[in-house]
């Protein structure tokens, strides 16, 4: 619904569809506007679970040329998205790592694991916090810190089995040998290690 009035029939029932970029009178069916330029970015989900931007790229320069939506647009959008993912991942790794009182070496190693996971597309379809927690736990296991997956589960309020599946997937796909918990650790053996993915 809009506050516009149809020029043809005087109707006030105007349907403005931002995705299509048009305004249509619901009374007489007249297209009042098309190719409406909007300032916000909208995304739609496709059948494969991915998302894509809706609309048409409009150049900000004064030449008036509208570049095509070819491979260059999607490539730059992908690079920008990847950089944003890495930035968010690093921020969350630092936040969670400080709560676990991990040193900077451990945080840097966890971020390297996260970058590897992003490059192998292991973050797709998974919550970022789960992947971040799995990367931190990989570091805890490889560096021999006294942390358990249950500690991360408690911090994030996420089921330990969900984090365990993500951890096992990352360890397998990134070919990282995560040693078992040592005998010096007084924590009970973690139950999730028998999970299958």
């Amino acid at each position: 619904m809009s506050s516009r009035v149809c020029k043809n029939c005087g109707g006030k029932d105007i349907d403005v569809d931002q995705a299509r970029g048009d305004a249509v009178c619901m009374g007489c069916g007249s297209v009042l506007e098309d190719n409406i330029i909007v300032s916000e970015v909208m995304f739609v989900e496709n059948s494969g679970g991915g998302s894509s931007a809706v609309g048409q790229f409009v150049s900000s320069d004064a030449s008036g040329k509208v570049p095509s939506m070819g491979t260059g647009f999607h490539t730059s959008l992908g690079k920008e998205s990847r950089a944003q993912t890495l930035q968010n991942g690093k921020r969350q790794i630092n936040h969670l790592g400080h709560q676990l009182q991990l040193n900077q070496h451990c945080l840097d190693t966890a971020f390297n694991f996260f970058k590897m996971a992003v490059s192998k597309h292991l973050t797709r379809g998974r919550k970022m916090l789960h992947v971040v927690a799995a990367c931190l736990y990989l570091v805890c296991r490889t560096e021999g810190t006294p942390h358990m997956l249950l500690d991360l589960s408690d911090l994030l309020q996420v089921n330990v089995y969900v984090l365990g599946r993500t951890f096992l997937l990352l360890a397998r796909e990134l070919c990282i040998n995560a040693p078992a918990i040592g005998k010096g650790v007084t924590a009970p053996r973690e139950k999730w290690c028998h999970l299958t993915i």
Side-chain angles (χ1 to χ4, degrees), residues 102 106 136 139-148 185:
L102 294 174
C106 289
L136 283 166
V139 170
C140 292
R141 290 284 290 271
T142 57
E143 296 293 323
T145 68
H147 299 94
M148 293 177 30
V185 178

Side-chain angles (χ1 to χ4, degrees), residues 111-175:
F111 182 59
N112 286 336
F113 289 156
F114 183 77
K115 286 192 291 190
M116 291 166 58
V118 169
S119 69
K120 287 192 164 213
H121 309 294
L122 299 176
T123 56
R124 288 184 182 166
R126 291 177 182 81
K127 292 187 177 182
M128 183 178 291
L129 270 179
H130 296 180
V131 176
V132 163
C135 290
L136 283 166
Y137 189 62
L138 272 171
V139 170
C140 292
R141 290 284 290 271
T142 57
E143 296 293 323
T145 68
H147 299 94
M148 293 177 30
L149 193 59
L150 195 56
D151 298 329
L152 286 157
S153 173
D154 288 343
L155 272 176
L156 298 175
Q157 295 296 300
V158 175
N159 186 316
V160 71
Y161 291 101
V162 172
L163 293 181
R165 277 192 297 273
T166 306
F167 163 73
L168 289 173
L169 174 80
L170 290 184
R172 184 185 73 216
E173 294 297 320
L174 299 178
C175 301

Side-chain angles (χ1 to χ4, degrees), residues 137 141 148 179-182 185-194:
Y137 189 62
R141 290 284 290 271
M148 293 177 30
I181 296 176
V185 178
T186 58
R189 182 169 173 82
E190 293 173 303
K191 296 177 183 178
W192 58 265
C193 62
H194 298 293

